[in-house]
Amino acid sequence: MKKFLLIFMACVATTITALAANVTVTFNNNQNMEGELINLTDTSLVIRAYYAATGNKEITIYPERVKYFNISGIGRYNVEDGKFVPSEKAKAKLEKTRVERQAHAQLVSERAANPNLVIGNALKKTGGVCMGIGIPSAIVGAILVGVGNSGGDIKDAEKLKTKANCAAAGYVLLPMGAALTIVGIPLNVHGKRIAEMNINYTGNGAGLSFNF
């Protein structure tokens, strides 16, 4: 149990330090002090206080002087049995942050190991954006062209002007949307293929394999 607690506190310190969090400490006399977190263990808290009187120096604070303190983005720490202990809410936040950082680090590692994945995903994303803009634009453009070229009373100048404006807008949106869609489809398809491309190294050299 003690070993687990030490490992947990080490993870906590690493996670919080990476966040460059701010701390608000409430002492036993109910006075408060705010500062930037420098280091945290279960028996000491090191902050760089924001008060001019401290000369912007690092201050080490021990549990016996503290009622509790709050870390921005994490939550409250209480003092129990002479040690700093995170609240349940803070523990949950720390665990969530740790998992997110671990997942991000794993993703970065996978991308570094497989550049095809990065290129493929970039092409897929670009293709998706092109299609997301192109398809609606083409549909709206076709509707506007249809409205603009529909029959009507040629004596009604106002309606004729509106139809002409619809047709003009449609003639712009329709080809633009069609072009974006035509570009987006192959980008999406080729991006998916590149992302699923694996480079396999064997004793006879490097080879390519495709997953479909």
Side-chain angles (χ1 to χ4, degrees):
M1 182 66 182
K2 184 177 181 181
K3 183 178 180 181
F4 172 78
L5 181 60
L6 290 174
I7 295 174
F8 177 78
M9 289 304 299
C11 293
V12 167
T14 302
T15 300
I16 297 178
T17 303
L19 293 175
N22 295 326
V23 184
T24 301
V25 182
T26 300
F27 294 98
N28 292 328
N29 59 5
N30 291 324
Q31 291 184 345
N32 294 328
M33 176 180 290
E34 295 183 3
E36 179 185 355
L37 176 66
I38 302 301
N39 189 43
L40 170 64
T41 68
D42 61 342
T43 57
S44 67
L45 170 66
V46 182
I47 68 173
R48 181 175 288 111
Y50 295 145
Y51 299 106
T54 63
N56 202 33
K57 295 181 180 179
E58 294 182 3
I59 300 174
T60 301
I61 302 171
Y62 299 99
E64 56 266 23
R65 297 179 55 199
V66 177
K67 183 179 293 185
Y68 61 87
F69 62 86
N70 284 284
I71 301 177
S72 62
I74 300 297
R76 175 166 168 159
Y77 276 65
N78 299 308
V79 176
E80 298 179 8
D81 298 326
K83 294 182 179 180
F84 295 128
V85 179
S87 64
E88 292 301 320
K89 184 178 179 180
K91 287 180 182 178
K93 179 64 177 180
L94 286 167
E95 178 62 18
K96 180 181 178 182
T97 302
R98 185 191 67 79
V99 171
E100 290 175 349
R101 291 176 62 84
Q102 186 177 14
H104 177 71
Q106 183 177 356
L107 179 61
V108 171
S109 176
E110 290 175 354
R111 287 178 174 178
N114 186 7
N116 292 328
L117 182 62
V118 179
I119 298 172
N121 286 338
L123 291 176
K124 285 171 61 180
K125 185 176 181 179
T126 303
V129 171
C130 289
M131 293 171 63
I133 298 174
I135 293 175
S137 297
I139 293 173
V140 172
I143 293 173
L144 289 174
V145 170
V147 171
N149 290 282
S150 62
D153 187 358
I154 61 174
K155 296 181 181 180
D156 192 335
E158 190 65 29
K159 286 186 177 180
L160 287 176
K161 182 179 180 181
T162 300
K163 288 179 179 294
N165 291 337
C166 288
Y171 290 139
V172 173
L173 287 174
L174 180 57
M176 182 187 73
L180 287 173
T181 303
I182 292 172
V183 171
I185 291 175
L187 283 176
N188 193 280
V189 172
H190 288 298
K192 183 178 181 180
R193 289 180 178 178
I194 292 174
E196 293 177 347
M197 182 189 302
N198 292 326
I199 301 179
N200 295 328
Y201 293 92
T202 63
N204 298 325
L208 294 178
S209 67
F210 294 87
N211 298 324
F212 296 100

